[in-house]
Amino acid sequence: MVKYPKSGYEKDSEALHFYVKDVRILTPKEYEALKATIPKDQHKTTLDILLITGMRYAELLRLYDNPAWYNEKRNIIHLPEEAQKKHKRRQLERTIHPLPSMFNYLLKDFWQARKPPLESTWNKNLQRWAMSAGINPYGLSVKSSRKTLESWLIASGVVESTVCLRQGHDSLTSMRHYQGLAFSDDELRDIKKQLIAWGFSI
């Protein structure tokens, strides 16, 4: 058993097929169970926005301070270059779409609430909520929502280059990690149903 750094958690031996570089990928039922245990509505909203958009957590925090990045008329999020600062590189601007038809209401709740916590706090929150939901917390972090969406899109047959552009990856290499995730037929059906509800054409 490999220990999760700093936490002492152990990797879930029953879900080894749901890890990408030690980041835990959620199934739709786990996502719903996790969300149901979150006590505050503002944190439920944050989780939903992270999973629907696939944004990096740092991008979410910058979006909070820059409501103009959301075009309500077109229902798209346009992230300029400064939204995507990374230590290793600066990526080009990108547009996040499609988004659910009622996404503007989710964002209004987001902006009316307090700014989301620091990344380290969100990680601890996720792991605490996971334990309450009966989910092994190993590998759950701010990266889980982003990588979960990417894995769902790939499993549902969305073209890798399309996922790459939406997520802001600079190569297709990162997408290949998601091809071997063994979702069951029921899980895949639930994934497609959820993605369609979020505006994707599957």
Side-chain angles (χ1 to χ4, degrees):
M1 284 286 201
V2 179
K3 293 268 185 170
Y4 193 64
K6 298 182 182 178
S7 69
Y9 300 134
E10 294 184 348
K11 186 178 283 190
D12 187 352
S13 60
E14 299 297 314
L16 294 177
H17 53 297
F18 287 141
Y19 290 98
V20 173
K21 292 186 174 180
D22 269 356
V23 175
R24 181 64 152 82
I25 305 300
L26 296 170
T27 66
K29 281 187 168 54
E30 287 174 333
Y31 154 62
E32 290 296 341
L34 180 66
K35 183 179 171 182
T37 65
I38 298 176
K40 293 183 178 181
D41 287 342
Q42 68 183 81
H43 291 153
K44 292 178 190 282
T45 298
T46 296
L47 178 66
D48 277 345
I49 292 173
L50 283 168
L51 192 52
I52 292 169
T53 64
M55 285 192 297
R56 299 177 178 91
Y57 197 75
E59 293 170 345
L60 179 86
L61 295 179
R62 294 187 188 111
L63 176 65
Y64 184 89
D65 295 326
N66 295 274
W69 292 351
Y70 175 62
N71 184 326
E72 185 171 357
K73 185 176 180 180
R74 292 183 176 271
N75 194 29
I76 60 175
I77 294 173
H78 183 76
L79 297 178
E81 190 174 353
E82 61 264 27
Q84 304 167 69
K85 296 172 187 170
K86 296 192 72 179
H87 294 300
K88 294 182 181 178
R89 64 182 182 275
R90 288 168 65 89
Q91 295 179 308
L92 297 175
E93 56 189 330
R94 79 179 192 274
T95 301
I96 299 176
H97 69 96
L99 294 169
S101 59
M102 307 296 280
F103 192 70
N104 58 323
Y105 292 105
L106 201 61
L107 281 180
K108 284 175 182 175
D109 289 341
F110 172 66
W111 282 313
Q112 286 173 1
R114 294 177 61 185
K115 188 171 183 176
L118 296 173
E119 182 174 314
S120 58
T121 302
W122 186 253
N123 285 342
K124 291 174 184 175
N125 286 342
L126 281 177
Q127 292 160 9
R128 187 178 70 255
W129 298 328
M131 287 189 284
S132 297
I135 301 169
N136 188 311
Y138 180 98
L140 270 176
S141 71
V142 294
K143 293 183 178 180
S144 291
S145 50
R146 179 173 167 80
K147 294 188 181 298
T148 290
L149 177 66
E150 290 171 357
S151 68
W152 288 7
L153 291 171
I154 295 297
S156 297
V158 176
V159 179
E160 289 178 14
S161 58
T162 299
V163 180
C164 207
L165 284 171
R166 188 183 195 273
Q167 296 296 93
H169 290 293
D170 54 4
S171 77
L172 292 174
T173 304
S174 53
M175 294 293 99
R176 298 190 181 119
H177 298 299
Y178 306 102
Q179 293 176 342
L181 294 175
F183 292 110
S184 68
D185 290 342
D186 286 345
E187 288 163 348
L188 193 54
R189 183 197 65 229
D190 289 343
I191 285 171
K192 290 180 178 179
K193 183 179 178 181
Q194 184 65 80
L195 290 175
I196 289 170
W198 287 344
F200 290 94
S201 299
I202 305 299

